[in-house]
Amino acid sequence: MADEKKRGVAESVRELASPIINALGLQLWDVRFVKEGADWILRLIIDKPDGICIDDCVAVNDALDQPLDEWNLIDRPYRLQVQSPGVERELTREEHFQQYIGERVKLRLHRAVNERKEYAGVLSAYADGVLTLTLDDGSELAVRREEASRIRADDFNDFQSI
């Protein structure tokens, strides 16, 4: 299945599932439709201010089981997974970057800038697809979002790997 079709499935599910998930008092953080081994996984990542528990995941699974069948968006067998974004959540959408302005983030670049591929600092701005990080030494790094292979919340800034 082409990447474009996978993105289309994920965006369609996001659009249809968001109101149902919001009605449960939860936020749909991300949707991913991925192939892992021989299996296709529809992964819904949910959140709420005080954190996600297993009951939240079960509630979303139960609320979406029948609608997903009725929407008929996926033309192959798949498994539904509902999970929390985790502590060092990946930032992938415009609203994630806006929400994390003023917070510590880590990013890994596709190509080195100043002989480095990994940076951590405070996300001081995000506009027009450009992230600006204020690094620990006070300097700033501005990169286009597509230059980063991964951007995560930096909840454990003492650890080096991302």
Side-chain angles (χ1 to χ4, degrees):
M1 180 180 282
D3 284 345
E4 191 62 36
K5 186 165 184 181
K6 287 191 293 187
R7 256 191 306 280
V9 167
E11 285 305 310
S12 295
V13 169
R14 170 181 285 286
E15 183 179 310
L16 295 167
S18 285
I20 295 169
I21 291 170
N22 291 345
L24 295 171
L26 304 166
Q27 173 193 7
L28 183 55
W29 181 263
D30 208 355
V31 178
R32 298 180 185 158
F33 186 54
V34 296
K35 186 166 177 47
E36 293 182 357
D39 298 325
W40 282 94
I41 311 289
L42 177 61
R43 186 169 291 130
L44 302 180
I45 303 167
I46 59 172
D47 200 16
K48 68 179 179 186
D50 58 343
I52 295 299
C53 67
I54 191 69
D55 292 337
D56 297 320
C57 295
V58 170
V60 168
N61 186 78
D62 292 348
L64 289 176
D65 189 41
Q66 184 176 348
L68 281 167
D69 287 341
E70 292 170 0
W71 297 333
N72 198 27
L73 299 170
I74 303 172
D75 62 357
R76 64 192 66 238
Y78 67 93
R79 288 187 297 127
L80 175 61
Q81 267 184 8
V82 182
Q83 67 184 54
S84 105
V87 177
E88 290 189 300
R89 65 192 57 221
E90 190 168 0
L91 310 180
T92 59
R93 302 183 61 81
E94 177 90 16
E95 60 265 23
H96 298 163
F97 298 110
Q98 295 301 329
Q99 183 177 334
Y100 269 77
I101 291 175
E103 302 291 333
R104 287 191 61 83
V105 299
K106 296 187 287 190
L107 65 92
R108 178 180 292 152
L109 301 170
H110 293 292
R111 294 188 179 93
V113 171
N114 299 325
E115 299 180 14
R116 290 177 50 196
K117 282 186 152 186
E118 297 181 1
Y119 288 88
V122 173
L123 180 60
S124 51
Y126 178 79
D128 299 322
V130 176
L131 299 112
T132 303
L133 266 64
T134 302
L135 305 176
D136 293 336
D137 66 4
S139 65
E140 286 193 342
L141 173 72
V143 295
R144 295 209 52 77
R145 185 170 136 190
E146 60 268 10
E147 293 176 56
S149 61
R150 177 173 285 166
I151 305 162
R152 294 187 177 270
D154 184 10
D155 296 317
F156 299 109
N157 63 14
D158 293 333
F159 295 120
Q160 295 300 313
S161 71
I162 61 171

